[in-house]
Amino acid sequence: MVISKTIQLHADPTANQQQMCIIDITHQVEQQVTGTDINSGIVTLFVAGSTAGISTIEFESGLLSDFQGMWERNAPKNIPYDHNRRWGDGNGHSHVRASLLGASLVVPFNDKRLSLGTWQQIVLVDFDNRPRSRQIVLQIMGE
Ligand code: ZN
């Protein structure tokens, strides 16, 4: 069986200094999975859009800060981007970061429990330079 679900989120990367919005969506994914008749299988999460990504992280302030620092070192905001020269929207770094992180994640589950580590949360990371409405598509497959 395959069941499609969506999670709608509002993300505002401009609300903090790092211009990055990291949202813990673990509980919402769990709710969607337990709301189906599928007991065991996999859930694929995919975010539509080229300036956001999905991953897992230990959702604590120290690591969140380290994670944000890593993006600034590897794809800094204030360097020239051809994308910005071409389109003038100023979010070249957002696109590069999103491509590097990836738009999807697969999480197995058994007896309706996600196979996550104790300190492992599922996160949407929005890298854009303006507030966005985000849609995450869940494809839940199993039996
Ligand atoms: Zn752009």
Side-chain angles (χ1 to χ4, degrees):
M1 196 191 315
V2 181
I3 295 176
S4 267
K5 301 266 189 177
T6 58
I7 295 172
Q8 298 278 353
L9 290 174
H10 178 73
D12 186 0
T14 65
N16 62 58
Q17 206 183 353
Q18 288 77 26
Q19 284 191 10
M20 193 181 306
C21 190
I22 307 171
I23 302 174
D24 182 352
I25 58 170
T26 312
H27 187 63
Q28 289 163 78
V29 176
E30 278 168 351
Q31 276 187 325
Q32 297 288 358
V33 168
T34 53
T36 70
D37 291 330
I38 302 175
N39 287 313
S40 295
I42 54 172
V43 52
T44 300
L45 294 86
F46 179 83
V47 60
S50 60
T51 51
I54 296 179
S55 189
T56 67
I57 198 167
E58 180 177 340
F59 202 87
E60 62 87 14
S61 60
L63 187 58
L64 295 177
S65 169
D66 294 335
F67 187 69
Q68 290 169 330
M70 180 276 293
W71 289 109
E72 190 52 38
R73 288 191 300 277
N74 286 283
K77 275 191 292 286
N78 297 318
I79 61 171
Y81 286 91
D82 290 338
H83 176 77
N84 296 344
R85 268 195 288 275
R86 177 132 199 247
W87 298 101
D89 58 357
N91 66 354
H93 66 287
S94 316
H95 290 285
V96 170
R97 292 174 181 189
S99 292
L100 197 52
L101 187 62
S104 68
L105 179 75
V106 177
V107 182
F109 61 94
N110 286 297
D111 299 325
K112 294 189 185 270
R113 290 188 56 135
L114 300 177
S115 305
L116 293 167
T118 308
W119 309 109
Q120 182 181 28
Q121 281 79 43
I122 302 169
V123 286
L124 171 84
V125 186
D126 200 312
F127 296 105
D128 216 334
N129 58 355
R130 62 187 173 90
R132 300 288 305 251
S133 180
R134 292 295 186 184
Q135 180 170 324
I136 301 168
V137 178
L138 279 69
Q139 289 283 96
I140 306 164
M141 291 187 282
E143 56 185 21

